[in-house]
Amino acid sequence: MRAAVPSSSILKTIQSIRRRGCPSKPAFDWPLQRGVILSSHPDEEAFGIKMASFGTFRGSFMFMRHLLSARHYKHCCSRAKAVKPVFSLCPSPRVIYPQCRNFKTSYGKAGPVLQFNLSDIGEGITEVTVKEWYIQYVKEGDKVSQFDSICEVQSDKASVTITSRYDGTIRKLYYDVDSIALVGTPLVDIETDAGQEGAPEKDVVETPAVSHEEHTQQEIKGHKIQATPAVRRLAMENNIKLSEVVGTGKDGRILKEDILNYLSKQTGAILPPSPYHEIQPPPPTAAVPSAAKLKDRAPLPGSAWPVIQRPVFTGKDHTEPLKGFQKAMVKTMTAALKIPHFGYFDEVDMTKLVQLRSELKELAESRGVKLSYMPFFIKAASLGLLQFPILNASVDEGCQNITYKAAHNIGLAMDTTQGLLVPNVKNVQVLSVFDIAVELNRLQALGVSGQLGTADLTGGTFTLSNIGSIGGTYAKPVILPPEVAIGALGKIQTLPRFNSRDEVVKAHVMNVSWSADHRIIDGATMCRFSNLWKSYLENPATMVFDLK
Amino acid sequence: MWSRLRTCRNLCLKTRICFQLNRAQGTFSALLDENCRAGAVLLSTSSNVFHNLALEDWIHARVDLDNRSILFMWRNRPAVVIGRHQNPWQECNVPLLRERGIPVARRRSGGGTVFHDLGNLNLTFFSSRKRYDRQRNLRIVTRALKQLRPSLDVRVTDRFDILLNEQFKISGTAAKLGRTGAYHHCTVLCAVDRTLLSVTLRSSCTGIRSNATPSVPAPVKNLRDDDPTLTCEAVMEAVATQYSADFGLNRPVIVVDPTHELCHPGINGIAQELQTWDWVFGKTPKFTLETSLEVHYEARSSKVHLHMDVKNGIIETCGIEIPHNWLPPETCAELSRLMVGSRFCPTDTALIFTAFLRSNPESHKLETKIHILSENIAALM
């Protein structure tokens, strides 16, 4: 079959479009360019639909569409010139690239780049200072949605949040932070998505543009509420305004769980899940497979496994440099792991201590102090260090000299919002259990308010970490240089144990995990220290006996 | 019998109002939509500055203000509130506030720094962008005061301050404009602790250069100094009455609890965010600190020169210059390098110095000097 060549006038139109026309390449190649020529019955010369072959049909359809668009292009251009600014608040957006907007699919994704002018602030103000761009998501190349906040400007004690009028991508910022911006001048250039009609010209949008129905397009004071249609339907069924619900998804998106939580809070009931599911569950016949069933259910030769809709994960990795306290931790731990550690673990029966503390708690509170188990642990450790001073020592960098420290400055690992802090209680050897409790209260208050100084944070000789207050039984704590030993205390559990009469009794049991520097401390020393410490806690009366 | 009927009727009315407030589906904005079409006067039960600021934000974001005007009255326990684009280290004595447990809060509106306590009345006027008018709001306040005490000489200035006796400032203003709504808030000094005010609003850190909004200091006076019979409560009532009269409201003042999550969904999250370090200190516009410190050791003192560039509360560059006989230059250089990337706050500084001492064991003398240096630098923050 012989191809019919399109007539010359049509060719000329096509070529002129290609010269003037779209900023981006059309999505298809001209059949002529490729050398694929339209084939048809020799008698038909018109550029109508050619039915001879598949390629021909496709080519000619595209050709026709392009031609129609060429006609519309002229129409569009004349229309664009005729648009006048209707509203006085700001001039109509300057369309920079003339573009036919009616055929979105044939042209590329870029839409017109619109200038967004700084609108009138009111009270006759003519200039403002740009104070902050919302830099997390507004820099050149970033996407914004309509009503997203772009920047903060300040004028005369008033701070104004400027929100975007269009959906699109930021292409240019006209002002830096701290520069003066004039009202009515361009603030940013936004490249809108193709197909978006001209910007809403009014600065203050009175009603939502799309629909008056509350549930389809709701805004919380200028922020479009993000929620999937399923969530909106659930809200509508339960007569909930989306503006009342707090969204916990990305960018404040409202999820189904948020609606259910809102409902349960309001009515005190937990509602059954909505019958409408966003992702269809697999059909009930494809139930939990067992090994035998799996064999039976192996796909028959020639057929494939059922295709499951995989949810698309759009999360992105995020890299940032380490912050101050993280760097401090890196430095400390790098130095710490140069020390050869060994671990020693044991179990302590805390039954008698639990009873003692409950008796003394009220007395402490009457003196205005909160009493926990830590003062007992710290004091018992100090008494043990008196017998085993090598655990309260320090070695120099080359491990040539060992210094036996006189003061027992026992550190306490504290988990705060700023990270791990280890303040220490100074000179525990001369303090009573009550004094230690007072000091701990003080350190905890300072830790919470972020006022711990270097004096409190340095000078420690021995450390105890009460990780059990959060959870856990055994741990492998890391020694903090320049110390040589550390203990981690697990949580106190109520467990059955045999007593001396072979009866099963309820016991409060706590696990302790010690780590020590094996260059100067051996296992036997650690074991004996641990046994002594343990005996003080299992029998608090012996602690009183040896109290200094 | 009639009295019993009356009691019954009152009880029914009260119960109905209670039900309206506690109804399962109701939130505060729904309540306003149903009952207060023209507007309302609100009084906060909380004296926590963060909860009250959170309620301000919540109303601004969630309540439809198109045809409604709301007046919100609140008082706080001692706190310092800085403007959106201000530098707290430049405006107040941050170490002293930390020591005394007085919180620093950053509000979302512009303007300068104010000291709040229970003798300082805060008034927030909510309206739509179109009907935003600061002069009108302040005139309501002056008229209310004149109604209360006709002999009081109060006047609104062009800078939106209220002056007493043409000399002393008793009110400062700040405003926030959003897309469709706006609010204007102002303070009224009734019986503030002036000593505490002047001590806390003095910067501890000289040598800061930045483009943050500066506060304009002015001589202040309490209304009570002029007329000892004036109380905060009387002023609140007068302003509420004047506002209701001007806006045609005939409902009583509504008492709101800013911590009630059911009535104000999301408000506790807003209050938490306002208390984070990243908001209060991290939102400071970038600044440069250039200062000299005197460090004393063994009855001798040396001068330490400090240079820091801080952006978003994080130290971007740091230079510590110390005489070489006091600390070796490698130690200084290492400490300066470690400070980069940490926050401009005393805890982070203490952590950095502690980590340095742990990994670089020094002689006792040097350790003590490093401690002293760390304390002096932390005292600036």
Side-chain angles (χ1 to χ4, degrees):
Chain A
M1 278 186 259
R2 203 165 58 82
V5 176
S7 66
S8 55
S9 60
I10 299 163
L11 248 180
K12 277 188 195 152
T13 321
I14 294 161
Q15 279 162 0
S16 67
I17 293 165
R18 289 180 67 76
R19 265 203 306 274
R20 263 179 296 174
C22 28
S24 63
K25 219 182 147 180
F28 57 93
D29 265 333
W30 267 116
L32 284 175
Q33 279 210 312
R34 259 204 234 135
V36 170
I37 41 184
L38 304 171
S39 58
S40 71
H41 196 274
D43 289 335
E44 287 179 350
E45 247 190 321
F47 60 79
I49 297 170
K50 320 287 183 210
M51 303 299 277
S53 71
F54 177 71
T56 308
F57 177 70
R58 200 178 111 247
S60 56
F61 180 69
M62 300 247 195
F63 171 74
M64 207 181 79
R65 205 167 52 175
H66 202 64
L67 206 58
L68 283 170
S69 70
R71 289 167 61 99
H72 276 278
Y73 164 72
K74 279 193 179 171
H75 181 55
C76 278
C77 273
S78 54
R79 248 179 58 194
K81 284 178 198 158
V83 164
K84 282 187 192 133
V86 176
F87 297 88
S88 57
L89 281 175
C90 68
S92 67
R94 254 186 49 205
V95 176
I96 294 176
Y97 295 109
Q99 170 87 24
C100 172
R101 289 187 232 151
N102 289 356
F103 288 93
K104 319 167 217 193
T105 49
S106 52
Y107 285 86
K109 300 267 183 338
V113 178
L114 304 169
Q115 279 187 340
F116 173 33
N117 290 350
L118 179 61
S119 52
D120 186 25
I121 308 286
E123 292 184 334
I125 291 167
T126 52
E127 59 185 38
V128 296
T129 316
V130 175
K131 278 296 186 179
E132 185 183 342
W133 291 103
Y134 284 104
I135 305 174
Q136 298 96 304
Y137 56 95
V138 175
K139 44 183 194 297
E140 295 174 14
D142 278 341
K143 289 207 175 305
V144 284
S145 312
Q146 194 183 27
F147 308 136
D148 274 354
S149 305
I150 291 190
C151 66
E152 287 272 331
V153 300
Q154 180 161 276
S155 86
D156 189 24
K157 302 184 193 179
S159 179
V160 190
T161 309
I162 306 288
T163 52
S164 172
R165 216 175 285 147
Y166 322 113
D167 287 333
T169 313
I170 303 280
R171 282 293 165 224
K172 185 175 175 186
L173 303 180
Y174 281 81
Y175 296 101
D176 287 328
V177 171
D178 291 331
S179 46
I180 311 278
L182 298 170
V183 169
T185 58
L187 197 60
V188 289
D189 277 346
I190 301 181
E191 183 183 314
T192 56
D193 299 332
Q196 190 175 288
E197 284 301 311
E201 290 89 350
K202 254 209 174 119
D203 193 27
V204 176
V205 177
E206 299 292 344
T207 50
V210 177
S211 153
H212 292 282
E213 252 193 68
E214 268 179 5
H215 299 286
T216 47
Q217 188 82 353
Q218 290 199 20
E219 295 172 6
I220 309 175
K221 297 299 289 181
H223 298 287
K224 234 183 339 204
I225 299 177
Q226 304 212 33
T228 60
V231 171
R232 289 180 195 276
R233 187 181 143 159
L234 182 64
M236 195 163 67
E237 280 168 5
N238 289 288
N239 208 25
I240 297 170
K241 265 204 221 174
L242 284 178
S243 58
E244 312 262 292
V245 181
V246 182
T248 56
K250 182 178 173 251
D251 294 336
R253 182 180 283 264
I254 298 178
L255 308 171
K256 193 168 82 175
E257 290 75 22
D258 299 327
I259 305 273
L260 294 175
N261 280 338
Y262 177 84
L263 278 171
S264 65
K265 274 193 210 148
Q266 295 288 359
T267 61
I270 298 176
L271 298 178
S274 156
Y276 179 87
H277 296 289
E278 288 164 20
I279 296 170
Q280 291 297 333
T285 48
V288 180
S290 60
K293 273 193 186 163
L294 207 52
K295 266 193 242 165
D296 301 335
R297 294 190 59 79
L300 298 168
S303 71
W305 284 107
V307 174
I308 307 165
Q309 276 281 73
R310 291 194 192 284
V312 177
F313 178 64
T314 51
K316 281 199 198 132
D317 291 346
H318 170 72
T319 309
E320 62 179 20
L322 286 180
K323 299 209 180 82
F325 66 86
Q326 286 167 325
K327 269 171 141 176
M329 188 104 156
V330 166
K331 226 176 146 51
T332 312
M333 292 305 155
T334 314
L337 286 177
K338 291 187 188 142
I339 303 171
H341 286 53
F342 77 91
Y344 176 85
F345 308 96
D346 205 352
E347 192 182 272
V348 182
D349 186 346
M350 299 269 291
T351 317
K352 287 191 181 157
L353 190 66
V354 168
Q355 197 189 346
L356 177 67
R357 181 191 160 237
S358 60
E359 286 166 18
L360 291 176
K361 206 170 154 190
E362 269 182 49
L363 175 61
E365 260 159 40
S366 70
R367 294 187 193 176
V369 166
K370 222 175 128 195
L371 183 70
S372 62
Y373 294 106
M374 279 313 287
F376 297 101
F377 298 150
I378 292 174
K379 189 61 188 172
S382 172
L383 291 174
L385 290 173
L386 286 173
Q387 308 300 322
F388 299 95
I390 196 167
L391 291 162
N392 198 50
S394 175
V395 276
D396 62 4
E397 217 167 313
C399 222
Q400 296 293 324
N401 299 304
I402 178 168
T403 312
Y404 294 91
K405 303 271 175 166
H408 297 172
N409 298 338
I410 299 187
L412 171 77
M414 203 185 271
D415 175 46
T416 62
T417 45
Q418 283 109 11
L420 173 68
L421 299 177
V422 191
N424 54 79
V425 179
K426 300 272 195 290
N427 291 310
V428 177
Q429 74 276 12
V430 297
L431 294 178
S432 67
V433 171
F434 176 71
D435 293 334
I436 299 170
V438 168
E439 185 61 12
L440 281 181
N441 275 193
R442 183 189 76 90
L443 288 173
Q444 259 146 9
L446 287 180
V448 157
S449 64
Q451 281 177 263
L452 282 169
T454 38
D456 288 322
L457 290 171
T458 53
T461 57
F462 187 84
T463 304
L464 283 177
S465 168
N466 190 12
I467 194 69
S469 60
I470 303 173
T473 44
Y474 293 103
K476 188 177 175 298
V478 176
I479 302 168
L480 295 168
E483 297 165 20
V484 292
I486 185 170
L489 311 166
K491 62 177 186 271
I492 302 176
Q493 300 169 282
T494 315
L495 296 170
R497 287 285 180 270
F498 283 107
N499 66 3
S500 53
R501 290 192 294 270
D502 284 344
E503 290 160 350
V504 175
V505 293
K506 174 176 153 184
H508 295 274
V509 172
M510 182 186 75
N511 295 299
V512 61
S513 316
W514 301 106
S515 287
D517 184 342
H518 217 335
R519 295 175 292 183
I520 52 167
I521 297 170
D522 56 35
T525 313
M526 195 71 233
C527 174
R528 289 192 190 105
F529 168 82
S530 176
N531 287 344
L532 183 59
W533 182 79
K534 182 174 148 165
S535 69
Y536 283 139
L537 294 176
E538 287 183 342
N539 251 316
T542 52
M543 207 157 90
V544 173
F545 210 49
D546 283 340
L547 217 52
K548 284 210 199 306
Chain B
M1 189 186 110
W2 289 116
S3 61
R4 276 196 205 141
L5 274 173
R6 239 177 305 156
T7 320
C8 249
R9 177 177 153 270
N10 287 341
L11 199 64
C12 282
L13 267 174
K14 281 189 183 144
T15 320
R16 201 173 59 178
I17 294 171
C18 276
F19 274 131
Q20 280 173 345
L21 285 172
N22 296 329
R23 195 175 54 148
Q25 298 284 325
T27 63
F28 189 66
S29 51
L31 173 75
L32 283 179
D33 282 338
E34 280 184 28
N35 298 319
C36 313
R37 292 206 186 276
V41 178
L42 311 175
L43 175 64
S44 174
T45 56
S46 170
S47 56
N48 180 316
V49 64
F50 299 107
H51 289 149
N52 288 322
L53 286 172
L55 185 60
E56 244 188 5
D57 286 342
W58 191 92
I59 295 175
H60 180 65
R62 303 278 186 142
V63 173
D64 179 14
L65 293 166
D66 266 350
N67 293 311
R68 198 181 280 135
S69 304
I70 295 180
L71 171 66
F72 175 42
M73 302 191 291
W74 41 296
R75 286 190 289 167
N76 297 318
R77 290 191 296 271
V80 168
V81 180
I82 59 174
R84 175 72 174 80
H85 308 288
Q86 291 202 297
N87 184 324
W89 294 284
Q90 228 175 356
E91 300 297 332
C92 55
N93 193 336
V94 177
L96 179 71
L97 290 171
R98 200 177 281 126
E99 204 184 317
R100 298 224 189 160
I102 298 176
V104 177
R106 181 187 294 268
R107 56 176 191 264
R108 291 197 204 264
S109 56
T113 303
V114 271
F115 175 77
H116 285 195
D117 72 9
L118 290 168
N120 192 347
L121 174 63
N122 291 289
L123 303 164
T124 310
F125 299 87
F126 291 95
S127 67
S128 65
R129 271 286 286 261
K130 284 208 200 118
R131 287 174 305 114
Y132 163 73
D133 186 350
R134 291 182 280 187
Q135 285 284 345
R136 176 202 63 199
N137 296 335
L138 293 172
R139 278 200 297 273
I140 295 177
V141 178
T142 48
R143 277 187 290 143
L145 289 173
K146 287 221 171 80
Q147 192 87 316
L148 200 57
R149 297 280 187 275
S151 57
L152 220 52
D153 174 14
V154 283
R155 185 179 71 84
V156 183
T157 65
D158 293 332
R159 284 202 78 237
F160 307 109
D161 294 332
I162 300 182
L163 291 183
L164 176 67
N165 301 336
E166 296 295 327
Q167 212 184 351
F168 298 104
K169 185 170 159 180
I170 58 161
S171 167
T173 269
K176 172 101 184 79
L177 288 91
R179 206 176 58 87
T180 50
Y183 64 83
H184 156 223
H185 52 203
C186 64
T187 54
V188 180
L189 292 177
C190 296
V192 154
D193 182 347
R194 295 235 315 262
T195 340
L196 196 55
L197 186 153
S198 53
V199 150
T200 51
L201 293 186
R202 200 175 298 145
S203 169
S204 59
C205 206
T206 51
I208 293 184
R209 278 198 325 265
S210 89
N211 283 328
T213 319
S215 286
V216 176
V220 296
K221 197 175 181 188
N222 282 317
L223 280 172
R224 205 194 265 189
D225 294 340
D226 219 50
D227 183 343
T229 56
L230 266 180
T231 59
C232 243
E233 289 79 6
V235 174
M236 276 200 285
E237 218 180 292
V239 173
T241 315
Q242 187 69 45
Y243 186 88
S244 302
D246 277 9
F247 284 91
L249 311 173
N250 55 3
R251 295 190 74 83
V253 171
I254 302 178
V255 172
V256 279
D257 176 8
T259 55
H260 201 310
E261 182 75 23
L262 276 182
C263 274
H264 313 103
I267 199 167
N268 284 313
I270 303 177
Q272 284 304 316
E273 205 214 315
L274 287 172
Q275 295 182 60
T276 57
W277 192 95
D278 285 333
W279 172 259
V280 178
F281 296 100
K283 282 287 181 186
T284 310
K286 67 175 189 233
F287 66 93
T288 307
L289 171 66
E290 193 96 40
T291 187
S292 294
L293 305 166
E294 288 261 336
V295 285
H296 306 274
Y297 178 70
E298 282 180 352
R300 269 186 296 166
S301 70
S302 305
K303 243 198 167 77
V304 175
H305 189 79
L306 199 63
H307 171 94
M308 282 191 199
D309 289 319
V310 181
K311 188 174 170 191
N312 296 332
I314 311 276
I315 300 174
E316 293 204 318
T317 64
C318 175
I320 309 176
E321 279 159 31
I322 306 181
H324 290 190
N325 55 6
W326 211 77
L327 263 187
E330 315 83 56
T331 313
C332 285
E334 179 67 12
L335 285 169
S336 306
R337 200 186 60 80
L338 282 174
M339 293 284 281
V340 172
S342 70
R343 296 181 306 179
F344 191 74
C345 87
T347 313
D348 274 26
T349 308
L351 276 174
I352 296 284
F353 276 75
T354 310
F356 175 79
L357 285 169
R358 279 197 198 282
S359 45
N360 300 52
E362 307 273 1
S363 71
H364 177 75
K365 204 166 145 180
L366 275 181
E367 259 194 42
T368 319
K369 285 185 181 173
I370 292 175
H371 274 303
I372 295 172
L373 179 65
S374 149
E375 306 251 322
N376 277 291
I377 294 180
L380 288 173
M381 304 175 176

